[in-house]
Amino acid sequence: MTRTTKILLGIANVLPLVLIAMFVSSFLMMPHGLDVNPNPDVFIFSLGLSFLSMALASAIGLGLFIYYLVHILKNPRLDANTRLMWVLIVLLAGIIGNIVYWFFQIWREDDDRVEHGYNN
């Protein structure tokens, strides 16, 4: 995998976190309280922004989850126990598990080959 592809995949890992932050901030834009007369344009914009950000975060997260499961199962550098460990990490830790797997198994892939003498 090229360095550019690894960087793009790393950015894709962080993108759901950014979108979740947008989701939270869109609710902060909404008017609060009973005495506030809400502006319908602001309400609709913040509602649409929250829906769009969560839909994108969900789609990207699901795509990355599937990609990492396939990558774990096809990774020749992992034995059966390590595969099981990584599947559980990615499954249970979600976005954070994806970032951890990316860092240790994708970003540092070339370092690991040099260190252990792999020729793939």
Side-chain angles (χ1 to χ4, degrees):
M1 185 178 300
T2 66
R3 186 171 175 87
T4 305
T5 306
K6 290 179 182 182
I7 291 171
L8 290 174
L9 190 57
I11 291 170
N13 281 323
V14 176
L15 193 58
L17 293 174
V18 172
L19 291 169
I20 290 171
M22 284 178 57
F23 173 75
V24 170
S25 67
S26 67
F27 281 107
L28 296 176
M29 290 173 36
M30 288 186 189
H32 294 89
L34 297 174
D35 58 342
V36 177
N37 189 7
N39 184 351
D41 294 335
V42 173
F43 179 75
I44 298 227
F45 174 75
S46 60
L47 191 63
L49 183 65
S50 64
F51 175 74
L52 180 65
S53 63
M54 283 314 292
L56 282 173
S58 299
I60 292 169
L62 180 63
L64 286 171
F65 174 72
I66 293 169
Y67 174 79
Y68 283 128
L69 281 181
V70 170
H71 193 274
I72 290 167
L73 296 176
K74 290 186 175 185
N75 192 344
R77 298 180 301 128
L78 303 177
D79 61 0
N81 290 332
T82 311
R83 274 194 181 95
L84 178 61
M85 178 194 72
W86 280 117
V87 166
L88 290 174
I89 288 172
V90 168
L91 180 66
L92 298 176
I95 296 170
I96 304 302
N98 290 346
I99 293 171
V100 170
Y101 181 79
W102 172 83
F103 180 74
F104 285 108
Q105 294 297 322
I106 294 176
W107 182 251
R108 297 180 56 192
E109 180 179 36
D110 296 332
D111 297 339
D112 193 40
R113 287 182 183 168
V114 171
E115 183 179 318
H116 296 293
Y118 294 121
N119 295 324
N120 295 7

